Amino acid sequence: MEPVRTCIGCRSRAPRSSLLRVVLQDSRVVADATAVRPGRGAWLHPTHECFRLAERKRAFGRALRRPGELDTSDVENRLNG
């Protein structure tokens, strides 16, 4: 049975393989496609809708336990292709 994680954008549960893991690296939120980078991670559906929801709710800072403004441009660029 595959592990289940919760998307920080839409808050729905999904298999780990269908979500994108993001981690904090020097005050920047970066995509962790292999899900092996060190540090606290958060999970997000790889869609623009869930990304926008997570930004609007300020879910990145809360999930990664870092208050304040975070640079999410790396994740946004990955979603754009």
Side-chain angles (χ1 to χ4, degrees), residues 13-54:
R13 294 169 51 101
R16 179 180 147 163
S17 62
S18 67
L19 298 171
L20 174 68
R21 183 173 187 256
V22 296
V23 294
L24 201 59
Q25 182 177 6
D26 302 325
S27 297
R28 289 181 42 229
V29 179
V30 295
D32 182 10
T34 57
V36 295
R37 286 192 178 190
R40 183 170 183 82
W43 298 85
L44 179 73
H45 281 112
T47 64
H48 290 287
E49 295 82 23
C50 285
F51 176 75
R52 296 284 175 231
L53 276 171

Side-chain angles (χ1 to χ4, degrees), residues 23-30 60 64 66-74:
V23 294
L24 201 59
Q25 182 177 6
D26 302 325
S27 297
R28 289 181 42 229
V29 179
V30 295
F60 288 107
L64 298 171
R66 176 66 66 92
E69 196 68 30
L70 297 174
D71 179 16
T72 58
S73 60
D74 181 69

